[in-house]
């Protein structure tokens, strides 16, 4: 005979529930693009203060799920970010692609990961990204000293663990089972 507990646990199995393929593949792209658009909504300032949320989300996805976004994803996502960031066009394309290549090389060299190594790697990439963006903007005609980006660097580095948690939440949403209708 069936036991009460056994029937209850078997009823929890969901029949006709699976993650959506379109949501599983497209959701990371949409979250990165939304992250590229968001900084312009909150604050308009004469100096950079808001972190590059699109880059942080892209970095979060690349570190959480290394094979999810292809290595060439930096090109279209960086192009989208260049449209909204105010940086010279091609800056994010170059830097996001270099970031993907660096993360792939590190993934091959260091297959083990933990929070400290991921955060240190992210800190280095975030600081390098912001400094090189400033350098490219100065080459394009801006005349900003390095001290202008210090608040943005500090806020970006300190907010990355929060962005990583949000990306992990997005990953759970991405893989949530939905009802399959036939």
């Amino acid at each position: 005979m069936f036991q009460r507990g056994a029937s209850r646990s078997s009823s929890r199995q969901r029949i006709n529930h699976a993650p959506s393929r379109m949501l599983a593949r497209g959701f990371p792209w949409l979250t990165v693009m939304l992250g590229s658009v968001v900084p312009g909504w909150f604050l308009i300032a004469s100096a950079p203060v808001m972190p590059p949320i699109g880059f942080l989300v892209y970095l979060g996805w690349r570190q959480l799920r290394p094979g999810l976004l292809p290595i060439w994803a930096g090109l279209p996502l960086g192009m989208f970010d260049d449209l909204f960031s105010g940086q010279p066009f091609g800056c994010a394309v170059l830097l996001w692609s270099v970031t993907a290549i660096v993360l792939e090389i590190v993934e091959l060299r260091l297959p083990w990961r933990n929070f400290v190594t991921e955060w240190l790697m992210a800190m280095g990439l975030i600081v390098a990204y912001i400094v090189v963006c400033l350098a490219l903007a100065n080459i394009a005609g801006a005349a900003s000293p390095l001290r202008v980006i210090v608040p943005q660097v500090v806020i970006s580095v300190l907010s990355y663990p929060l962005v990583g948690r949000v990306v992990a939440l997005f990953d759970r949403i991405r893989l949530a089972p939905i009802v399959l209708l036939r």
Side-chain angles (χ1 to χ4, degrees), residues 29 55 58-63 65-78 91-109 121 125-126 129:
W29 294 78
F55 179 72
Y58 177 70
L59 192 59
W61 278 113
R62 293 289 305 174
Q63 286 189 334
R65 300 280 183 183
L68 184 63
L69 291 171
I71 198 162
W72 53 265
L75 181 103
L77 291 173
C91 180
V93 172
L94 171 71
L95 296 176
W96 289 30
S97 299
V98 168
T99 298
I101 292 169
V102 167
L103 288 174
E104 284 290 322
I105 291 171
V106 169
E107 184 70 27
L108 291 174
R109 302 278 186 223
M121 176 59 85
L125 289 171
I126 290 167
Y129 175 76

Side-chain angles (χ1 to χ4, degrees), residues 13 106 131 135 172:
Q13 268 186 335
V106 169
V131 169
R172 290 186 67 192

Side-chain angles (χ1 to χ4, degrees), residues 19 51 55 76 95 122 170 175 182:
F55 179 72
L95 296 176
F170 287 159
L175 296 176
R182 295 184 192 223

